Amino acid sequence: GEDVEQSLFLSVREGDSSVINCTYTDSSSTYLYWYKQEPGAGLQLLTYIFSNMDMKQDQRLTVLLNKKDKHLSLRIADTQTGDSAIYFCAENRESSYKLIFGSGTRLLVRP
Amino acid sequence: DTGVSQDPRHKITKRGQNVTFRCDPISEHNRLYWYRQTLGQGPEFLTYFQNEAQLEKSRLLSDRFSAERPKGSFSTLEIQRTEQGDSAMYLCASSLKVAEAFFGQGTRLTVV
């Protein structure tokens, strides 16, 4: 995912908040996504945000979008050990249905 | 389970052999996608169908790869004359709305 960049690793203590960051390059992106992948499994759609929004909240998840800086973040409140996984940011461009993924951020939640 | 189903989950094949994977999308989803994921990377787009029409193909999809969705329901991805570089997880996804693509568990291919 050369057009979508994420940090590789994040470690947090159980009960703390986690913030996973992503930058993208294409200003024509219409939707931006967060997917979760556990070991050996497929991708689970967590949430997505339309490009004309700047925030979306869904239970413990908060997505923030800064279009000017092309920056997307996912905040997980009260992080649990079950949240340990790889989190992928992805964008969907106006001219195509395909998703462009980042390389993923591995989240480790310490008890 | 009404999610996206992929078969087989794992496939080990010798270099040079042909392999075929199957994907059953969520019922009534008209869009179906194939992605490939190698270790430590995010999924990379391979191809996309709307109903039975293959509307977009990545340059990653060499002429050894072919995908079909004959009746607009399940899809197959065939790799001919497999190479070690084809070893990866092959993921299928389906959607009804543009914004919501749901992925299957994937088929892990190992070419020895």
Side-chain angles (χ1 to χ4, degrees):
Chain A
E2 61 187 8
D3 295 333
V4 179
E5 294 192 356
Q6 304 179 236
S7 52
L8 288 179
F9 183 75
L10 176 66
S11 177
V12 300
R13 194 180 300 275
E14 189 176 17
D16 288 349
S17 292
S18 307
V19 179
I20 302 171
N21 295 301
C22 169
T23 56
Y24 60 99
T25 57
D26 195 321
S27 57
S28 71
S29 297
T30 51
Y31 291 97
L32 294 129
Y33 301 80
W34 287 103
Y35 280 86
K36 176 184 179 183
Q37 187 175 38
E38 297 184 72
L43 277 72
Q44 175 192 352
L45 176 61
L46 288 178
T47 187
Y48 61 92
I49 187 167
F50 188 52
S51 58
N52 70 352
M53 298 170 63
D54 51 21
M55 188 182 93
K56 181 178 180 182
Q57 186 155 1
D58 184 1
Q59 298 183 344
R60 292 190 299 123
L61 305 179
T62 303
V63 179
L64 295 178
L65 174 61
N66 180 330
K67 281 197 74 173
K68 176 176 168 290
D69 295 338
K70 298 188 183 68
H71 182 266
L72 182 75
S73 68
L74 174 70
R75 178 177 181 270
I76 306 173
D78 187 25
T79 315
Q80 303 297 305
T81 54
D83 295 324
S84 291
I86 301 176
Y87 290 80
F88 291 96
C89 167
E91 62 173 341
N92 167 232
R93 296 178 182 171
E94 189 172 27
S95 59
S96 172
Y97 289 105
K98 69 183 179 187
L99 298 178
I100 310 294
F101 285 86
S103 295
T105 299
R106 181 178 295 276
L107 173 65
L108 176 66
V109 182
R110 308 185 309 275
Chain B
D1 189 334
T2 57
V4 178
S5 176
Q6 292 188 245
D7 183 68
R9 291 291 309 279
H10 304 273
K11 178 71 178 177
I12 300 173
T13 191
K14 290 184 179 178
R15 191 175 51 185
Q17 297 294 305
N18 299 344
V19 294
T20 300
F21 309 141
R22 177 180 169 121
C23 171
D24 286 89
I26 294 171
S27 180
E28 296 177 356
H29 278 194
N30 60 341
R31 298 187 180 96
L32 187 146
Y33 315 79
W34 285 99
Y35 288 80
R36 181 173 70 186
Q37 185 179 25
T38 53
L39 202 61
Q41 299 298 314
E44 294 176 294
F45 172 79
L46 291 178
T47 191
Y48 154 66
F49 290 86
Q50 183 161 323
N51 300 312
E52 66 274 12
Q54 188 173 20
L55 297 185
E56 191 170 352
K57 289 197 296 186
S58 164
R59 62 182 185 278
L60 291 175
L61 212 67
S62 76
D63 55 9
R64 296 186 298 107
F65 288 68
S66 62
E68 294 184 340
R69 194 183 183 198
K71 297 181 181 178
S73 56
F74 74 91
S75 175
T76 57
L77 177 68
E78 181 183 18
I79 309 174
Q80 295 183 326
R81 305 182 303 281
T82 51
E83 301 172 357
Q84 285 190 319
D86 297 331
S87 295
M89 175 82 91
Y90 290 84
L91 294 162
C92 177
S94 70
S95 72
L96 186 58
K97 300 179 188 178
V98 170
E100 296 179 350
F102 296 93
F103 282 79
Q105 296 296 297
T107 294
R108 181 169 296 283
L109 173 67
T110 303
V111 182
V112 297

